[in-house]
Amino acid sequence: MTAPAKVLIADDSAVIRNMLSDVLGAEGHHVAAVCTGEEAIAAVRGSAPELVMLDWLLPGANGIDVLKQLRALLPPATPVIMITSCERD
């Protein structure tokens, strides 16, 4: 079994944040979840995660712009997974 990781989830959807937090938390990982790019940047400044899951579309910012800012703050080897969801009729 791998050691628990510090994971940051940045997604404006409460459903997605909660689902990912529940799944990763059940596996023993330490999860912080935020709603905006600004909150993600602040969270990384406070404590660098070992993995970031970043929504492609965030309110007030696009995920790529946030990623560029996070890359300046994170250790170079920190993985960032870009995520998105779509609503179906």
Side-chain angles (χ1 to χ4, degrees), residues 1 4 7 14 17 26-27 48 50-51 54 58 60 64 69 77 81 86:
M1 177 173 217
V7 180
R17 279 193 320 273
E27 292 296 319
E50 296 164 284
L51 168 67
L54 178 61
L58 292 166
I64 298 299
Q69 294 177 61
I81 300 172
C86 63

Side-chain angles (χ1 to χ4, degrees), residues 6-21 24 30-44 49 51-59 61-67 70 74 79-85:
K6 292 190 308 187
V7 180
L8 173 63
I9 299 167
D11 198 303
D12 59 328
S13 167
V15 171
I16 300 297
R17 279 193 320 273
N18 291 337
M19 177 195 63
L20 292 171
S21 294
L24 294 168
H30 306 286
V31 180
V34 298
C35 302
T36 69
E38 293 81 13
E39 290 174 336
I41 292 163
V44 166
L51 168 67
V52 177
M53 300 184 79
L54 178 61
D55 190 1
W56 193 270
L57 299 171
L58 292 166
N62 99 26
I64 298 299
D65 292 337
V66 174
L67 175 60
L70 291 177
L74 291 167
V80 177
I81 300 172
M82 298 296 293
I83 58 176
T84 194
S85 63

